[in-house]
Amino acid sequence: KTRAGTLRRVVQSPFDKHTTSPKMATTMTMSAACAQPLAARKSFGSKAKLGAPVKTRAARVNTVTRAARDGPVIIGLAADSGCGKSTFMRRMTSLFGGKASPPEGGNPDSNTLISDTTTVLCLDDYHLNDREGRKKSGLTALNLAEQDFDLMYEQVKDLKEGKTVQKRIYNHVTGVMDAPEEIVSPNILILEGLHPFADERVREMFDFKIYLDISDDVKFAWKIQRDMAERGHSLESIKASIEARKPDFDAFVDPQKAYADVIIQVLPTQLIPDDNEGKILRVRMIMKEGVENFDAPYLFDEGSTISWIPCGRKLTCSYPGIKFFYGPDTFFGEEVSVLEMDGQFDKLEELIYVESHLSNTSTKFYGEITQQMLKYQNGPGSNNGTGLFQTLCGLKVRELYERIAETEIVVAA
């Protein structure tokens, strides 16, 4: 069986630096010069009709065949603590079938999630010291000096070669290292945590790299909502906690986004002037060009620059409405394409209207994105671009696995 799609060369960045509500009609501005290189593109305004989606449907079977190559396809997810990595993992692993859960009969405080085809490892298990040890060193868990990159490299390398490893467990409840657990090499290995891309040896083993980039303003708003409303903390203590953590995050975690193939960036809305509540979000899916086994999804017309306010009759949304954007840009000096959504859905089932105007989504049947969003409709970000782009990213990872493994995952429609 031959690989699907065109394989292209990976382009990497150096790690050397520590609006209006919808009306009753669709509004879209499109600028097209997609045949030209990025630097030569010049925008011009035009009107375009919405094209009808192509509908396909998969057989009602749910099977996965074993990867053709030895060892797993390896996916990396980098993000700060409390940025939604766990929710993202649930969305992604569900696309491969089966429920991801801790190792059966193992440590109930294990950080590992295993399904029929995927294994998710939390990189907190590779902290160099436990909580007491970090008190003695005076360093935070964000510091690179507090990570055992040698052990991380050796065990990821073994898993990539199809071997079984004994991986220790960092217990988040007690703050100590628990006895090791056995990890068998899976079809798909996902490493999530603070530093998946910081060590060059580990970084080179990834087939695909994702970074969740939550802006400081949104982090602050989220933390205030949680810690003041739910935990009774004062505003001053919350600010002090954030400021104390920020230097290490900026030095050791944030620079890794230069290496990511896809960055999901969460920002304050631009639809409400001076908004500081963080409830309405503007989310961007930033996708590098030239990434092997990855074809970037797009809105309406690939390579064009498009601003779109959906039809209010087809997509119900209260104030301040919803606005989409798609177009080329640069990120850390590299050419990228960007999908953006500002606002939130009132009726998630109406997402099918938006889905019908997205292309290169790697869905198996018409409406799969909407189906997946409804499946996790009670999870964080399910009514905005966070959930939409996490789902879309998961679908692209599934396609990437199929190409590398020279196999096919067939899902029930």
Side-chain angles (χ1 to χ4, degrees):
K1 191 167 179 170
T2 58
R3 295 188 182 187
T6 302
L7 304 185
R8 293 174 290 181
R9 193 174 178 182
V10 177
V11 181
Q12 295 185 331
S13 299
F15 186 62
D16 58 358
K17 296 181 180 179
H18 293 333
T19 54
T20 57
S21 59
K23 303 299 181 184
M24 297 306 288
T26 294
T27 302
M28 181 176 74
T29 302
M30 178 172 72
S31 302
C34 56
Q36 303 178 47
L38 183 64
R41 292 174 189 164
K42 295 182 179 180
S43 298
F44 59 91
S46 67
K47 298 290 182 181
K49 293 183 179 180
L50 308 184
V54 177
K55 299 184 180 182
T56 59
R57 186 169 291 277
R60 294 179 179 273
V61 184
N62 195 3
T63 59
V64 181
T65 61
R66 177 62 186 169
R69 81 173 191 190
D70 292 332
V73 171
I74 304 181
I75 309 299
L77 173 64
D80 196 4
S81 300
C83 287
K85 295 189 295 293
S86 298
T87 302
F88 194 178
M89 287 302 93
R90 286 194 294 273
R91 288 190 172 110
M92 184 183 294
T93 55
S94 71
L95 292 166
F96 292 92
K99 183 180 179 181
S101 55
E104 187 175 351
N107 189 329
D109 293 321
S110 172
N111 303 307
T112 302
L113 293 175
I114 297 175
S115 71
D116 295 341
T117 54
T118 64
T119 294
V120 181
L121 300 185
C122 173
L123 296 185
D124 288 357
D125 292 338
Y126 293 98
H127 286 333
L128 185 64
N129 293 306
D130 60 14
R131 196 174 295 158
E132 190 61 33
R134 289 196 299 274
K135 287 181 181 178
K136 294 178 181 177
S137 72
L139 301 176
T140 72
L142 289 84
N143 197 303
L144 298 185
E146 282 292 339
Q147 316 310 315
D148 192 341
F149 288 115
D150 289 339
L151 178 62
M152 187 190 299
Y153 165 69
E154 290 297 334
Q155 293 200 336
V156 175
K157 179 174 177 289
D158 284 346
L159 290 169
K160 189 177 179 71
E161 293 172 355
K163 300 175 183 177
T164 296
V165 303
Q166 296 294 323
K167 183 192 60 61
R168 65 192 183 187
I169 302 169
Y170 178 73
N171 192 314
H172 288 92
V173 178
T174 64
V176 303
M177 291 292 180
D178 287 348
E181 61 186 356
E182 181 175 276
I183 303 296
V184 177
S185 181
N187 285 30
I188 303 125
L189 176 64
I190 304 172
L191 306 180
E192 60 91 356
L194 294 168
H195 308 101
F197 316 139
D199 184 89
E200 182 179 4
R201 300 166 300 170
V202 178
R203 187 169 67 241
E204 290 179 349
M205 288 190 281
F206 286 107
D207 294 293
F208 197 69
K209 301 179 291 296
I210 306 161
Y211 187 95
L212 292 183
D213 187 18
I214 315 298
S215 73
D216 289 342
D217 289 339
V218 172
K219 277 186 196 175
F220 186 58
W222 285 356
K223 195 166 180 62
I224 288 176
Q225 290 170 25
R226 184 191 67 185
D227 290 359
M228 288 186 73
E230 299 175 16
R231 302 179 182 178
H233 294 183
S234 68
L235 183 61
E236 291 72 21
S237 67
I238 294 170
K239 287 181 178 179
S241 173
I242 292 173
E243 291 304 317
R245 207 170 183 279
K246 184 171 169 53
D248 275 2
F249 172 80
D250 290 346
F252 304 121
V253 178
D254 191 61
Q256 292 173 98
K257 63 188 174 189
Y259 285 113
D261 300 311
V262 167
I263 300 93
I264 297 179
Q265 192 175 62
V266 183
L267 304 161
T269 182
Q270 291 183 333
L271 301 176
I272 303 174
D274 303 318
D275 176 67
N276 58 8
E277 291 187 3
K279 293 180 179 179
I280 307 297
L281 299 174
R282 171 178 164 238
V283 186
R284 308 174 81 220
M285 185 173 175
I286 302 168
M287 302 162 283
K288 283 185 181 176
E289 295 187 8
V291 175
E292 190 174 10
N293 294 310
F294 175 78
D295 300 318
Y298 58 90
L299 180 66
F300 293 109
D301 183 48
E302 187 172 16
S304 297
T305 298
I306 294 168
S307 179
W308 178 44
I309 298 174
C311 173
R313 275 191 287 242
K314 299 174 183 176
L315 189 67
T316 305
C317 48
S318 52
Y319 177 83
I322 294 179
K323 185 176 182 179
F324 288 88
F325 170 84
Y326 164 73
D329 205 341
T330 57
F331 189 78
F332 281 87
E334 296 197 47
E335 293 188 5
V336 298
S337 59
V338 178
L339 270 173
E340 178 180 310
M341 174 184 164
D342 197 347
Q344 62 185 30
F345 303 107
D346 283 357
K347 297 180 180 179
L348 203 51
E349 61 272 17
E350 293 178 349
L351 173 60
I352 190 72
Y353 168 56
V354 175
E355 181 177 351
S356 68
H357 298 306
L358 291 169
S359 298
N360 257 3
T361 59
S362 303
T363 54
K364 296 286 187 178
F365 56 89
Y366 179 67
E368 188 177 12
I369 293 175
T370 303
Q371 182 190 82
Q372 286 294 316
M373 289 284 283
L374 287 167
K375 185 177 180 180
Y376 292 99
Q377 60 185 302
N378 295 322
S382 292
N383 65 341
N384 60 46
T386 307
L388 174 60
F389 294 146
Q390 286 181 4
T391 301
L392 188 52
C393 191
L395 291 166
K396 300 306 296 187
V397 167
R398 185 179 67 185
E399 180 183 64
L400 178 134
Y401 165 72
E402 291 178 321
R403 291 182 176 186
I404 294 174
E406 299 181 356
T407 188
E408 183 179 2
I409 297 173
V410 185
V411 300

